[in-house]
Amino acid sequence: RNCLISGNRASLGTKSDGCGGGMAILNGTDVVISNCVIATNSTLSDGTGTGLYINQSTSRVVQCVISNNIQVGSGGVGAGIHVTDSGKTVISNCTIIGNSASRYAGGAYILNGLLTHCTITNNYARSSGGGVQLHTTTAGSRLFYSIVTGNRAGGEGGGGVAVNRGTIENCLFLFNATNNSGLSRVYSPRTAPKRPS
C-alpha cells in the first residue's frame, strides 16, 4: 500500500524473466496492491506486463496509477498491466495512462480477470489493442464500467479495445484511433494473437 514503484527493468532470460518490469505476482494468493504508483518501468525484448504482471494469482489492484511504462523490442504484450490465468483477479478504480506496448495491449492485457471502474487513456500499442486487449478461450476476460479514451493502435487496429473473447459492459469509448481496422477490433479464432509463453 502507498508505494512508488518506478524506474525498474526486467530483461528476457528464463521463462519468467522479462515480465513485470515494475512488479510481478506469480502464483500469489490474496495479494492486495492499493494506492500505489507504478510508473516509468521497462521490459526488454519480448517482455510482458511492463508495469505490473499477474500470473495464476488471486489479486486485487485498487486505486493505483499505472503510467508511462515502456516495452523495448518488438513482441511485448501489456505495457501497463498483463493479467493471465487469474480469473479471480480484480483491477478497480485505477488510472492506466501513457503506457507503450511494442506489440499488443498498450494499457492492459486481460486473459481471465476483471478490469472495472478504471480510466484507460493515452496508451499505445504498435499492433493492436491500444487501450485494452481481452484475450481468452472462455468468457472470463471482463471490462466493466470503464472509460477508454485517447488510445492508439498501429497495424492491426483496435485503437480502444481489441477482443478475442470476453465481456464488455457499461463502458465509454472516446477519441481512440488506429492506423487500420476500427476503433475496436474483434478477432476471429484464426487471427487472434498467440498467447505469450
Side-chain angles (χ1 to χ4, degrees), residues 66-192:
I66 295 99
S67 72
N68 298 296
N69 298 287
I70 298 175
Q71 293 175 341
V72 179
S74 60
V77 179
I81 298 175
H82 187 290
V83 177
T84 183
D85 292 336
S86 301
K88 294 184 179 180
T89 286
V90 177
I91 300 163
S92 65
N93 296 286
C94 292
T95 299
I96 303 169
I97 181 171
N99 302 285
S100 180
S102 59
R103 194 168 186 190
Y104 301 118
Y109 177 91
I110 308 294
L111 194 159
N112 297 329
L114 171 61
L115 187 66
T116 184
H117 294 85
C118 291
T119 298
I120 301 105
T121 184
N122 294 330
N123 300 285
Y124 170 75
R126 184 180 298 169
S127 186
S128 67
V132 179
Q133 184 150 345
L134 303 180
H135 184 194
T136 183
T137 56
T138 68
S141 301
R142 295 153 292 156
L143 175 64
F144 294 167
Y145 299 99
S146 294
I147 298 171
V148 181
T149 180
N151 302 285
R152 188 166 57 94
E156 293 187 22
V161 61
V163 183
N164 169 259
R165 186 179 294 170
T167 304
I168 299 173
E169 292 184 3
N170 297 296
C171 292
L172 181 63
F173 296 88
L174 293 170
F175 310 117
N176 300 289
T178 178
N179 295 337
N180 197 335
S181 54
L183 304 183
S184 299
R185 176 167 182 175
V186 179
Y187 285 97
S188 69
R190 291 184 180 178
T191 63

